[in-house]
Structure formats: structure tokens, C-alpha cells
Amino acid sequence: MALSLEVIFLLFMSLLQFQSPAIAATSFIKSRAAYYPNSEQNGTADGGCGYRSYGATLNGGDVSAASDLYRNGVGCGACYQVRCTNINYCSDNGVTIVITDLGSSGGTDFILSQHAFARMGQTVDTGKSLLDLGWVDIEYARVSCSYPNKNITIKIDESSIYPSYLAFVIEYQQGIKDIIAVQLCETVSLTCKLLDRSHGTVWAVVSPPTGPLSIRMLLSSDVDNDDESWVTPANDIPTNWTPGTSYDSGIQIN
């Protein structure tokens, strides 16, 4: 017996709905990528995101500078799948990188570490051939960051001066959302202050509150949820915080 037009339409819409996430997951943007010609194999410890030495070894050294994707520092820590398009040299999956720096070169969206650039190749030898080219055509897509067995970490920046100036970096943020605002709260009075983004992913405040401090992070919305949301770590920054010290937040954002 023939199906009615209504039944066919409902089946078609159900199939379309089922396929949409897969289609979105493979939606790539065409661009170009280069690499740091004078850098070490890993990333730089002086990147515009303010990660310092953490930025050189993050993600196994598969990191990148970006221009438009830097987004005034909001893009710091975002992960992207980057794959070159030369069928003679390039693998199908390419490499997953983390934005740790600000930079541009000749119309590129990414300036990769040498380590990341070579990993786009099918083999070690083709990776070396890619490095010889200097830049390549690529496709890229935003993907979720993953740091197994790691919680979000609050690293007190070395520029901090106890107790008059507090600056910190948020490290090991998983998932695909951006941290778009940060509040610093007194745990006793629950009074919160919106912090300034000093640069990159460095958040700072002059004359910070005394006592144990709690941080609240405002996360961006995503395709499944239009609402921004505040997240509060389980652990506080201690009263006698120290520049250069890292504090485990006790939570992770997936």
C-alpha cells in the first residue's frame, strides 16, 4: 500500500533531524595555514594568550597562533581540527590544535607550531615535505577540547603582587564553550566583582578582596542551548595566594 504524502514528509523530517548533528560535525571552513619558522618544535612560551610556559607544551605542543579566531582573547584555549588539502601529503584527519597566541601571516587563519604543522602529513616524511612548502591550503572546524584526568586549573600569574594585584590564567578548560566573563567573589560575604581581561586569557584585578576567594565563570551559549551560564569551581583560591602557583578548581566543563 502506498504511503501518504504526510507520512513521507514526517519520515523525511525525522531522517533530516537525525543526520543534522553529523553534518554539523563535519562542517569545515577553507583557509590557509603557516608555521613559526624560527620556533622550537612545540609552541612559544611568550604567546599573546598569556599562557607562558604552559602554552609551549599544551596539547603535546600542537598549538597555534590565530588572527581573527583570537577574538580579543576570547578565542584563547579554543580547539580546532585543522587538515591540509594536498592529497599527496595530507592525512584525512589532520591535527587538533589549541589557540595559544595572536598572529597572522599572508592571509592565514593559523600559524601552527612546527610540531602541529608536520602532523598534518600522512607520514613523518610527508610531514617534512609540508614544512618545506611553508604554507598550505587547509580546512578547519571548531572541536571540543579534551584533557583527560585534568580539572580546570587557576594559575596565579607571575605578574601578581600579593596582596595588592591579582592576575590569573584559567588552564585546562575542556569542551567547546568560551569563557566570556569572570567574577571574583569573597566567600564570606559572597560579594562579587567583575574582572577585567588584561590580555588573552589573563584576568586581573587591582586591590583584590582578602580572605579565601571564589571564581565564577560565564560560559558562552552553544547550538543546543541559547542561554549563557555561570559556573563556580568547587575549590577556592586560598587567602595567602602565591604568584606562580596553580590551584585545582575541583571541576571540569564538558
Side-chain angles (χ1 to χ4, degrees), residues 19-81:
Q19 290 179 333
S20 293
I23 293 172
T26 56
S27 178
F28 285 81
I29 300 170
K30 295 185 182 299
S31 184
R32 288 181 176 182
Y35 67 91
Y36 290 102
N38 299 319
S39 70
E40 299 294 332
Q41 285 291 314
N42 293 342
T44 174
D46 300 314
C49 287
Y51 286 129
R52 298 185 185 265
S53 58
Y54 165 81
T57 58
L58 175 62
N59 195 38
D62 291 335
V63 296
S64 178
S67 51
D68 292 343
L69 296 174
Y70 180 81
R71 293 179 289 145
N72 295 319
V74 176
C76 291
C79 293
Y80 292 87
Q81 182 182 357

Side-chain angles (χ1 to χ4, degrees), residues 150-215:
K150 290 283 188 180
N151 289 327
I152 286 179
T153 299
I154 309 301
K155 168 72 178 295
I156 307 300
D157 191 72
E158 286 83 349
S159 65
S160 299
I161 303 173
Y162 182 84
S164 59
Y165 175 73
L166 173 61
F168 59 85
V169 175
I170 299 172
E171 301 176 343
Y172 297 116
Q173 180 201 351
Q174 294 194 151
I176 201 168
K177 293 186 175 183
D178 299 316
I179 296 176
I180 57 178
V182 172
Q183 287 183 334
L184 186 65
C185 305
E186 296 182 64
T187 57
V188 177
S189 66
L190 299 180
T191 301
C192 297
K193 180 177 182 179
L194 192 65
L195 302 187
D196 295 323
R197 186 188 294 272
S198 172
H199 65 280
T201 186
V202 180
W203 301 89
V205 59
V206 176
S207 300
T210 58
L213 302 174
S214 176
I215 290 174

Side-chain angles (χ1 to χ4, degrees), residues 83-127:
R83 61 190 188 192
C84 54
T85 57
N86 188 319
I87 61 174
N88 296 317
Y89 300 131
C90 303
S91 66
D92 292 335
N93 293 326
V95 62
T96 298
I97 59 89
V98 182
I99 300 298
T100 60
D101 197 3
L102 170 65
S104 61
S105 175
T108 63
D109 274 310
F110 299 93
I111 305 178
L112 304 173
S113 65
Q114 291 188 34
H115 187 268
F117 198 89
R119 286 198 63 201
M120 292 190 293
Q122 299 169 7
T123 64
V124 173
D125 289 339
T126 55

Side-chain angles (χ1 to χ4, degrees), residues 11-28:
L11 288 173
F12 173 76
M13 292 303 294
S14 298
L15 180 61
L16 184 62
Q17 183 178 13
F18 175 78
Q19 290 179 333
S20 293
I23 293 172
T26 56
S27 178
F28 285 81

